[in-house]
Amino acid sequence: MTNSVPEFEDADCILITGSNTTSSHPLIASRVMKAKEKGAKIIVIDPRKNHIASLADIHVKQNLGSDVAWINGLMHIILKEGWQNQTFIDERTEGFEDLKKAVEAYTPEKAEEISGIPKETLREIAELYAKSEKSSIIYCMGITQHITGTDNVKSLANLAMLTGQIGRPSTGVNPLRGQNNVQGSTDMAAIPNKYPGYQDVTNDEIREKFEKAWGGPLSPKVGLTVVEMINAIEEGKLKGLYILGENPMISDPDSTHVEKALDDVEFLVVQDIFLTETAKKADVVLPGASFAEKDGTYTGTDRRVQKIRKAIDPLGEAKPDWEILCLVGKALGGKGFDFQSPREVFDELAELTPIYHGIDYDRIEKEIIHWPCREKDDPGSPYLHKDGFARGKGLFTPIEYKPPAELPDDEYPYQLTTGRLPFHYHTGTMTRVSPSLTHEINEAYIELHPQDAKALGVKHGERVRVSSRRGAIEVKVLVTSGIKQGVAFIPFHFAEAAANRLTNSAALDPIAKIPEYKVCAIKIEKINGREG
Amino acid sequence: MEYQTVRTTCTYCGTGCGVLLEVLDGEVVGTLPQKDHPINEGKLCIKGWSAHEFIYADGRLTKPLVRKGDKLEEASWDEALDFVAKRLLELKKKNGPDSLGCFSSAKCTNEENYLLQKIFRAVIGTNNVDHCARL
Ligand code: SF4
């Protein structure tokens, strides 16, 4: 996030897209509601009428995968009306002329045709967003899980820069991270092309710094992403895989393909707290500890580095994960794994990571710190881009609309989108063993529009078979006018009816390599007979 | 009876609400919101209020497991760690460092993510390091 969570409360306009905020980030949703109480206008652009949409001043359901088109449409209108922030554009950005040229073609009519959002509504949204004193954008996986995910994110950044709605409190472009430490794991370089703190593995000077610190030569070659590693197993190139606390059997798109890869890989180590579907395939399973059994830090979605503290000993012979990793490092003959505590690990990583350099355990005991925090006297950065962008000037990137990789056809006439529920977490390994949460809901379902249900001859509560080119699952029907006609929604937490058996992992965003989870073509059939 | 609360951070989503784990005689029995935490200010969502419930759930792993034929069997830490090291080093020797890779975890701590990527980059010698959160 460019801005911190409490800042949402003081925004004048909040544009939310592709985020089921109330479900996925309830305590951020409550800030949005506070902002509304204080008079902010809330705009939601989402194919489902989720809870936050029901509170919005404006809610529109766009066609799946049409985001670049409506965002370009908004910018077209803003430029036609002269609502852009020209001072910000002149002083802080470059590439404005290229952007202007690119959005010229996205007339309100064209944007409406592609996105299904009426042009009058687009105008209203453009005006509210551009002319409010402080406008903030919130987005989540609904924006990133498309082949155009990177384009979508860049388009939102274009919109914020065009109107100067960034670099001040209560503005900005704010991705909400799903799992508790997505931000931190990315910061710590659980990504194939960076060292901790987004330092390039291909940069010689930086690599030398890490070679010196870690005491050995490092590879200058960018590594593989999760999806590429799965494919590399199939191609016989990847032989050994170590999975820490993840359950890709359910979380990955096209899980049939993942299952085969995990069966085929020569050696699989899984370190987790439960015997997940993934762990069952392992050659070695190492029992880790829950958050209550260890010390460490998480970095929240707004770059806030916070402590977790040990409350009890690990169960049985389980060990804190940091300790297991030190043992593995040493067993492999590695140097530099003699840490006595997470505090010592943090000190080493802070030393090597400029954006964390000023942070230590004593400081975060007493203060809330958002990175970048470069020195001990640096208070940290609740919001980014105050005086400039990381690269100096903010660069506008002209983006053209591209349709989703898989469009409905005669055989697979419906579009499927997936998402989270408020009661469950990711693949459900933690929440589905929690009585208070399973009491709320413990079964997958498919949301269908009443018209679609009628056409299919199915009623609320009946079971249907849902299939795509990749697989099929059976689920119960939930009829709701909250979803766009022609579109179906399935939550992805449930292993026995994993929505990701249907989704399309072949279609990747070319830059972020995120699979197109949020759109695929499906067929829905009523299940006849007794079980129906 | 010994009762204490431990200040920590909710483990369920990136909002990072401040929670207090209630510990009674060495067992976590409840989760409360931190009143003075700037993010949640004394509130929690339903996941946060039940953040302790999975800790003692059936199926928690309490011993290392090593595959013997079709079955995963309990093993000692020494046996499990030796096996991990032996097989990874064999594969590295035979097929090169880029034949190995890891999925790190958006659920684990910064320190743990740092250590796993350090193992793969510095000891194995590959940048095949990613996490499932882009998913
Ligand atoms: S209490 Fe709810 S909103 Fe807060 S961190 Fe936990 S899951 Fe997220």
Side-chain angles (χ1 to χ4, degrees):
Chain A
M1 280 166 57
T2 59
N3 291 58
S4 70
V5 172
E7 291 173 43
F8 287 128
E9 206 177 307
D10 297 310
D12 302 301
C13 167
I14 303 179
L15 191 162
I16 302 174
T17 182
S19 154
N20 186 355
T21 324
T22 316
S23 284
S24 301
H25 299 87
L27 271 291
I28 290 182
S30 72
R31 294 283 171 173
V32 174
M33 292 172 211
K34 268 201 191 155
K36 188 179 160 75
E37 264 171 42
K38 291 187 180 176
K41 294 279 187 243
I42 312 298
I43 304 164
V44 174
I45 299 167
D46 202 289
R48 289 174 74 215
K49 181 159 190 165
N50 51 38
H51 176 261
I52 203 94
S54 66
L55 300 174
D57 297 278
I58 302 176
H59 169 224
V60 281
K61 298 176 193 166
Q62 83 276 39
N63 292 332
L64 295 186
S66 70
D67 302 297
V68 167
W70 64 257
I71 302 168
N72 278 350
L74 292 182
M75 292 194 282
H76 178 102
I77 297 168
I78 288 167
L79 285 166
K80 277 277 151 354
E81 299 290 343
W83 294 333
Q84 75 271 29
N85 183 334
Q86 201 61 47
T87 324
F88 187 91
I89 295 168
D90 294 343
E91 288 172 5
R92 303 274 309 267
T93 70
E94 52 195 32
F96 174 61
E97 288 306 321
D98 295 338
L99 178 85
K100 210 167 148 184
K101 240 181 264 151
V103 303
E104 183 62 42
Y106 292 81
T107 58
E109 292 72 24
K110 182 172 171 186
E112 171 171 349
E113 189 195 314
I114 302 174
S115 70
I117 306 175
K119 57 179 195 278
E120 299 75 28
T121 316
L122 284 170
R123 194 177 185 285
E124 220 182 317
I125 295 170
E127 180 164 17
L128 263 177
Y129 178 79
K131 288 168 75 177
S132 294
E133 166 73 19
K134 288 170 286 180
S135 292
S136 185
I137 295 173
I138 293 179
Y139 72 87
C140 195
M141 309 263 205
I143 279 290
T144 52
Q145 288 177 347
H146 290 281
I147 46 165
T148 57
T150 304
D151 285 353
N152 292 349
V153 172
K154 284 188 180 158
S155 297
L156 290 173
N158 285 340
L159 177 65
M161 290 196 296
L162 184 72
T163 49
Q165 299 288 16
I166 191 162
R168 289 177 289 130
S170 307
T171 63
V173 183
N174 300 291
L176 302 185
R177 306 291 186 156
Q179 300 185 64
N180 55 317
N181 202 29
V182 180
Q183 182 67 53
S185 58
T186 320
D187 297 348
M188 288 306 114
I191 39 179
N193 56 340
K194 305 280 181 188
Y195 295 121
Y198 306 95
Q199 305 178 80
D200 287 315
V201 298
T202 49
N203 179 315
D204 294 339
E205 210 175 299
I206 287 177
R207 199 171 53 253
E208 276 160 31
K209 171 175 109 176
F210 280 91
E211 286 177 339
K212 226 170 115 198
W214 291 343
L218 298 174
S219 167
K221 204 174 113 204
V222 169
L224 303 177
T225 64
V226 165
V227 175
E228 289 169 334
M229 282 191 250
I230 297 284
N231 293 337
I233 293 172
E234 297 296 88
E235 290 158 16
K237 290 183 197 142
L238 199 90
K239 306 282 188 190
L241 186 60
Y242 195 120
I243 302 180
L244 170 64
E246 294 282 0
N247 191 10
M249 275 281 292
I250 301 187
S251 69
D252 271 42
D254 195 353
S255 36
T256 319
H257 180 52
V258 174
E259 180 168 7
K260 180 154 190 319
L262 296 181
D263 281 334
D264 289 351
V265 72
E266 255 186 78
F267 187 62
L268 176 64
V269 185
V270 174
Q271 179 174 333
D272 206 316
I273 61 173
F274 290 113
L275 194 62
T276 60
E277 292 76 7
T278 301
K280 284 182 189 148
K281 308 234 170 243
D283 296 289
V284 181
V285 183
L286 302 174
S290 79
F291 80 121
E293 298 149 48
K294 61 191 183 187
D295 288 307
T297 57
Y298 291 157
T299 301
T301 187
D302 59 1
R303 298 167 283 103
R304 176 172 18 99
V305 183
Q306 303 193 118
K307 287 278 314 266
I308 61 163
R309 292 179 186 82
K310 183 177 170 202
I312 54 167
D313 287 329
L315 306 193
E317 288 178 30
K319 288 182 193 290
D321 297 273
W322 66 269
E323 207 177 306
I324 298 173
L325 292 165
C326 289
L327 292 170
V328 171
K330 281 190 268 194
L332 286 164
K335 288 179 299 249
F337 290 92
D338 295 309
F339 300 103
Q340 298 305 310
S341 66
R343 176 192 283 263
E344 290 180 15
V345 182
F346 194 93
D347 287 343
E348 176 176 310
L349 72 87
E351 193 55 44
L352 292 164
T353 309
I355 54 175
Y356 277 65
H357 193 245
I359 307 175
D360 60 48
Y361 271 33
D362 292 331
R363 281 192 74 187
I364 54 176
E365 208 59 66
K366 297 183 294 256
E367 19 171 352
I368 295 283
I369 305 179
H370 306 260
W371 68 255
C373 171
R374 294 173 196 279
E375 298 305 332
K376 297 284 179 216
D377 57 1
D378 177 349
S381 318
Y383 64 96
L384 297 178
H385 314 310
K386 185 173 174 196
D387 308 304
F389 295 93
R391 61 182 296 278
K393 291 209 167 181
L395 180 66
F396 284 112
T397 322
I399 311 255
E400 294 293 340
Y401 162 76
K402 289 186 223 69
E406 195 176 77
L407 288 168
D409 55 21
D410 288 345
E411 206 187 342
Y412 297 98
Y414 292 89
Q415 282 188 304
L416 172 73
T417 188
T418 63
R420 292 168 204 273
L421 297 177
F423 316 111
H424 288 288
Y425 176 71
H426 211 54
T427 66
T429 46
M430 288 149 77
T431 49
R432 293 192 73 196
V433 296
S434 177
S436 320
L437 300 177
T438 49
H439 175 74
E440 297 289 339
I441 190 160
N442 199 22
E443 189 185 2
Y445 59 84
I446 184 166
E447 284 185 9
L448 292 179
H449 190 272
Q451 293 293 338
D452 294 333
K454 207 168 142 206
L456 290 161
V458 292
K459 291 200 205 66
H460 197 80
E462 287 185 336
R463 292 180 72 80
V464 289
R465 183 179 158 85
V466 185
S467 42
S468 75
R469 289 186 176 81
R470 291 153 295 274
I473 60 173
E474 291 182 4
V475 281
K476 243 194 194 163
V477 171
L478 190 151
V479 178
T480 168
S481 55
I483 189 140
K484 206 174 160 66
Q485 202 176 336
V487 174
F489 167 85
I490 303 178
F492 67 56
H493 310 287
F494 304 98
E496 63 279 12
N500 292 333
R501 292 217 177 264
L502 307 173
T503 48
N504 187 1
S505 73
L508 292 185
D509 176 284
I511 299 164
K513 308 268 172 74
I514 299 180
E516 186 147 70
Y517 262 166
K518 292 292 177 191
V519 199
C520 75
I522 54 165
K523 164 164 83 185
I524 305 169
E525 296 154 296
K526 182 171 174 165
I527 299 176
N528 289 313
R530 286 161 56 101
E531 88 262 59
Chain B
M1 281 212 296
E2 201 187 311
Y3 172 84
Q4 63 173 142
T5 58
V6 178
R7 289 172 73 84
T8 187
T9 305
C10 176
T11 193
Y12 274 133
C13 91
T15 309
C17 294
V19 298
L20 298 170
L21 286 180
E22 298 184 280
V23 185
L24 186 66
D25 290 335
E27 192 179 327
V28 184
V29 293
T31 312
L32 299 171
Q34 286 177 25
K35 278 218 176 71
D36 56 352
H37 194 281
I39 297 300
N40 53 308
E41 298 173 327
K43 294 189 292 278
L44 290 176
C45 77
I46 180 168
K47 278 177 289 192
W49 279 108
S50 30
H52 60 284
E53 286 186 4
F54 76 94
I55 298 172
Y56 303 102
D58 289 347
R60 268 296 300 271
L61 291 164
T62 54
K63 272 196 164 132
L65 305 174
V66 172
R67 181 165 301 280
K68 307 227 165 99
D70 289 349
K71 278 220 231 70
L72 282 167
E73 288 179 12
E74 289 186 354
S76 70
W77 273 103
D78 282 344
E79 188 189 344
L81 289 166
D82 286 349
F83 189 48
V84 169
K86 185 176 137 248
R87 291 290 284 133
L88 289 179
L89 292 172
E90 270 172 18
L91 289 170
K92 176 180 164 181
K93 201 164 162 211
K94 201 165 136 211
N95 308 292
D98 287 331
S99 69
L100 302 173
C102 67
F103 298 176
S104 199
S105 175
K107 293 198 281 251
C108 284
T109 64
N110 291 330
E111 292 77 0
E112 289 153 358
N113 277 281
Y114 175 81
L115 288 168
L116 183 60
Q117 62 89 39
K118 183 175 174 183
I119 291 174
F120 274 78
R121 293 199 156 101
V123 188
I124 304 283
T126 179
N127 286 312
N128 291 340
V129 178
D130 200 11
H131 62 113
C132 296
R134 58 179 89 230
L135 304 175

